[in-house]
Amino acid sequence: MCTLEKRGNLFILTFTGEDQHRFNPNVIGSLLSLLSQVKAEATRGSALITQAQGKFFSNGFDLDWAQAAGSEQGAAERLHHMVDLFRPVIAALLSLPMPTVAAITGHAAAGGFALALSHDYLIMRKDRGVLYMSEVDIALTIPDYFNALFREKIGDASVRRDFLLRGLKMKGDEAEKRGVVEAAYGGEAEVKQASVRLAENFGKRKWHGEVYAEIRKGLYPQLSAILGLTHKAYTIARL
Amino acid sequence: MCTLEKRGNLFILTLTGEDQHRFNPDLISSLLDLLSQVKAQATSGSVLITLAQGKFFSYGFDLDWAQAAGSERGAAKRLQDMADLFKPVIATLLSLPMPTIAAITGHAVAAGFTLALSHDYLIMRKDRGILWMPEVDIAVTLPDYINALFKEKIGDASVRRDLFLRGLKMKGDEAEKRGVVKAAYDGEAEVREASVCLAENLGKRKWHGEVYAEIRKGLYPQLSAILGLSHKVYAIARL
């Protein structure tokens, strides 16, 4: 499902297996647990890379599990339940005391795209994989915290409109050009290498993790408010 | 420290001397004083240019003065005091009844960058000087009004992330390309000439100062709210 590995200063969170890495309550529970571990073991110079095996980064919530409820109402409840369970994952990423990088080597759709976007830096493949918000196509509304995430992370209103109202499937070169990702590379290995390089460079800055997290929350105030995150002022000056 | 000069319709506010033009309570107080004078003498067609002598526009708050408190706690308090004292400077610039231009001929760092960004137009050198928010590197969080200023003035979320979470030192050509400044020129004289030229063009429009200020506040509603600025509706139509 998902594993955590430590390589020097780097925490590497991996969605394992060749499946779509869909988020059901179990996967979400594991994610939360691993992110807590990352937080607990954080030191100055730590960085997180989130990556996945196979053709998918993640295709979002487990709609099969939702439908297994057996009724339309049951399915809606299960979906709602997953949306609520997933909130703390985004909250944990937004308050993680270290820089975070999403190494997007496959498709990132709906909740999967939201997970990627919750990282500080997105690196993607140019040759394969799309970023896609499928909700408009499957007639699902967008949770409030997803809206806030997109609004505050993607400044270009036309890009946001293209994702949410057009169901655009954005490939790596367009994503790089339109500022949705930091960079796009031609191949899985290149994406992983670039992510590691970026994370290692950040690690060298030896930022104070808690202050880094506070500055990050200050960058995304509406999202922080919606996620119920509080603020702390730090004046630990390294003079 | 700082001087005010009037040249036709132009108000020229200069941070004098070859030092880092660091903001301590005295300088902040002088700035407020001079800006009040500008406001009092404003007429239709007035424009403000803020500039600085030497290698620095401003390097931000006076950390030496903060540390002279003698203890970590005392230093933190002094830093907080300066952040509080500086808020009205930003509020005054945001409500100044005339167009404002920052002629950035040297480094604009932290509160210095903040001061520049509080102007309607930024003109910078290409060949020298950087824009930099070092707070992540010195482990200090940002006051709410500085977060709001950057959020509403810089639309590109990646730029804000690069400035705040990466501690990027941005040179003039990148600043111009990424939309942080209006234009960048090679050399101090060129920056000053361009600023005066722009000021004169804006002055010819003979805008109604109070209305101009209201429209400006409307452009930055969250910042205005945080700064405690109120709104007025004007219907003086020049038909």
Side-chain angles (χ1 to χ4, degrees):
Chain A
M1 266 202 312
C2 44
T3 61
L4 181 64
E5 180 198 337
K6 191 133 190 285
R7 237 188 268 168
N9 273 337
L10 303 190
F11 289 93
I12 312 209
L13 181 62
T14 307
F15 291 113
T16 53
E18 303 291 312
D19 62 314
Q20 293 187 5
H21 310 306
R22 291 241 180 204
F23 303 142
N24 57 39
N26 287 339
V27 175
I28 295 171
S30 290
L31 262 176
L32 261 176
S33 182
L34 294 180
L35 287 171
S36 296
Q37 244 180 277
V38 172
K39 182 176 182 186
E41 295 172 31
T43 57
R44 274 194 197 252
S46 292
L48 169 75
I49 299 176
T50 300
Q51 58 177 26
Q53 293 169 349
K55 280 205 262 187
F56 296 87
F57 181 78
S58 165
N59 238 26
F61 293 125
D62 192 341
L63 301 179
D64 287 346
W65 179 77
Q67 286 188 301
S71 69
E72 203 177 289
Q73 173 151 301
E77 270 164 27
R78 282 194 174 189
L79 187 56
H80 209 74
H81 182 56
M82 286 187 286
V83 168
D84 285 342
L85 282 177
F86 194 59
R87 258 178 125 102
V89 172
I90 306 306
L93 278 166
L94 203 71
S95 17
L96 209 69
M98 66 186 69
T100 57
V101 180
I104 307 161
T105 47
H107 304 298
F113 183 5
L115 181 75
L117 199 56
S118 303
H119 291 66
D120 298 327
Y121 301 90
L122 278 63
I123 305 213
M124 191 175 168
R125 273 179 86 156
K126 236 191 263 220
D127 57 322
R128 277 201 201 177
V130 296
L131 302 174
Y132 171 44
M133 288 306 274
S134 50
E135 285 82 348
V136 66
D137 290 327
I138 59 175
L140 275 180
T141 51
I142 313 282
D144 60 352
Y145 65 100
F146 276 27
N147 270 326
L149 177 70
F150 273 75
R151 204 165 49 242
E152 293 193 311
K153 287 269 192 164
I154 297 177
D156 188 329
S158 301
V159 173
R160 291 198 305 269
R161 183 232 23 230
D162 282 351
F163 276 128
L164 297 179
L165 284 184
R166 204 172 198 158
L168 176 67
K169 289 179 183 176
M170 193 181 278
K171 289 185 186 168
D173 40 17
E174 184 178 359
E176 183 184 52
K177 186 166 146 233
R178 295 179 86 181
V180 181
V181 304
E182 169 83 355
Y185 296 89
E188 184 181 320
E190 287 82 349
V191 169
K192 292 190 180 196
Q193 276 159 34
S195 303
V196 167
R197 218 167 33 233
L198 187 63
E200 284 178 343
N201 283 336
F202 291 146
K204 288 181 192 153
R205 307 282 289 273
K206 297 248 175 272
W207 287 316
H208 186 289
E210 292 298 330
V211 173
Y212 184 91
E214 284 304 316
I215 293 174
R216 185 203 282 120
K217 285 187 283 181
L219 259 182
Y220 311 116
Q222 287 166 27
L223 176 60
S224 300
I226 281 179
L227 293 171
L229 299 173
T230 50
H231 264 292
K232 258 195 292 223
Y234 280 85
T235 42
I236 302 149
R238 208 193 289 185
L239 303 166
Chain B
M1 267 202 310
C2 51
T3 61
L4 181 64
E5 180 199 336
K6 191 135 191 287
R7 239 187 266 167
N9 272 336
L10 304 192
F11 290 94
I12 311 214
L13 179 62
T14 307
L15 296 163
T16 54
E18 303 293 311
D19 62 314
Q20 291 186 354
H21 311 303
R22 291 247 184 197
F23 302 139
N24 56 37
D26 285 340
L27 180 52
I28 294 172
S29 183
S30 291
L31 269 173
L32 262 176
D33 208 54
L34 294 181
L35 286 170
S36 299
Q37 278 181 49
V38 172
K39 184 177 180 183
Q41 297 172 34
T43 59
S44 197
S46 294
V47 180
L48 168 76
I49 300 177
T50 300
L51 49 84
Q53 294 170 348
K55 278 204 263 188
F56 299 87
F57 182 78
S58 165
Y59 229 66
F61 294 132
D62 192 341
L63 301 180
D64 286 345
W65 180 78
Q67 281 189 305
S71 68
E72 198 179 292
R73 191 177 219 198
K77 175 153 196 313
R78 282 194 175 188
L79 198 55
Q80 183 62 51
D81 284 348
M82 285 187 287
D84 289 341
L85 283 172
F86 194 60
K87 205 166 160 161
V89 173
I90 306 306
T92 306
L93 278 166
L94 203 71
S95 19
L96 211 68
M98 65 186 69
T100 57
I101 300 169
I104 307 161
T105 46
H107 304 303
V109 178
F113 183 4
T114 302
L115 182 74
L117 197 59
S118 304
H119 291 67
D120 298 327
Y121 303 91
L122 278 63
I123 303 202
M124 189 175 172
R125 272 179 88 156
K126 234 190 265 217
D127 55 325
R128 275 204 202 173
I130 50 158
L131 303 173
W132 183 30
M133 293 304 275
E135 284 81 352
V136 67
D137 290 326
I138 58 171
V140 172
T141 51
L142 290 147
D144 57 355
Y145 66 93
I146 295 187
N147 274 328
L149 175 73
F150 275 76
K151 184 146 208 266
E152 291 193 309
K153 287 268 191 164
I154 297 177
D156 188 330
S158 301
V159 172
R160 291 198 308 271
R161 184 234 20 227
D162 282 349
L163 287 171
F164 280 27
L165 285 185
R166 211 169 192 156
L168 176 66
K169 290 177 183 175
M170 195 181 273
K171 289 187 184 164
D173 39 16
E174 185 178 358
E176 184 185 52
K177 187 166 145 231
R178 296 179 83 181
V180 180
V181 303
K182 179 180 199 308
Y185 297 89
D186 272 309
E188 184 181 318
E190 285 80 351
V191 168
R192 288 172 189 228
E193 274 161 38
S195 303
V196 168
C197 192
L198 177 62
E200 286 173 346
N201 284 336
L202 295 172
K204 282 179 195 154
R205 306 285 290 271
K206 295 253 174 268
W207 286 317
H208 186 288
E210 293 296 334
V211 173
Y212 184 89
E214 286 303 317
I215 294 173
R216 186 203 282 120
K217 285 187 280 180
L219 257 183
Y220 311 117
Q222 287 164 29
L223 176 60
S224 300
I226 283 179
L227 293 171
L229 298 172
S230 54
H231 261 294
K232 259 192 295 227
V233 173
Y234 279 86
I236 302 149
R238 210 191 287 183
L239 300 168

